[in-house]
Amino acid sequence: MDKVLFADITVGEFIEYAAITLGIIILARIIAMFFRKNMTSEYTQPVRCECGWQGQISKFAGRCPKCNRPLGQQRASGKN
């Protein structure tokens, strides 16, 4: 651990610096996760079905995954 790697930085100091840097990166990602906005796709839409299911479906061929009822805009079928 006393072996010199760069200039006057030893192996032990390098491991400490690497651990601190990794900790800062992980902490920054956790903090960024709280401030991230929910990105919605231009190809999906939020819907609620009469059967009780709710979630995101395609704008082009939207159907309820629980009861297969047509939902949303269904642009592929020519409806708007």
Side-chain angles (χ1 to χ4, degrees), residues 25-72:
I25 290 171
I26 291 171
L27 184 62
R29 286 186 179 222
I30 291 171
I31 291 171
M33 190 173 22
F34 289 112
F35 293 106
R36 190 174 302 148
K37 294 181 182 178
N38 286 341
M39 302 299 284
T40 57
S41 172
E42 63 182 282
Y43 303 110
T44 62
Q45 59 188 335
V47 294
R48 180 177 296 206
C49 185
E50 294 173 8
C51 70
W53 181 86
Q54 67 181 19
Q56 298 275 337
I57 61 165
S58 170
K59 286 184 179 179
F60 297 99
R63 290 194 165 268
C64 175
K66 187 174 180 182
C67 66
N68 203 30
R69 185 173 290 144
L71 296 172

Side-chain angles (χ1 to χ4, degrees), residues 1 9-23:
M1 292 289 198
I9 298 175
T10 64
V11 173
E13 290 174 340
F14 178 76
I15 292 172
E16 287 177 18
Y17 294 147
I20 290 170
T21 304
L22 183 63

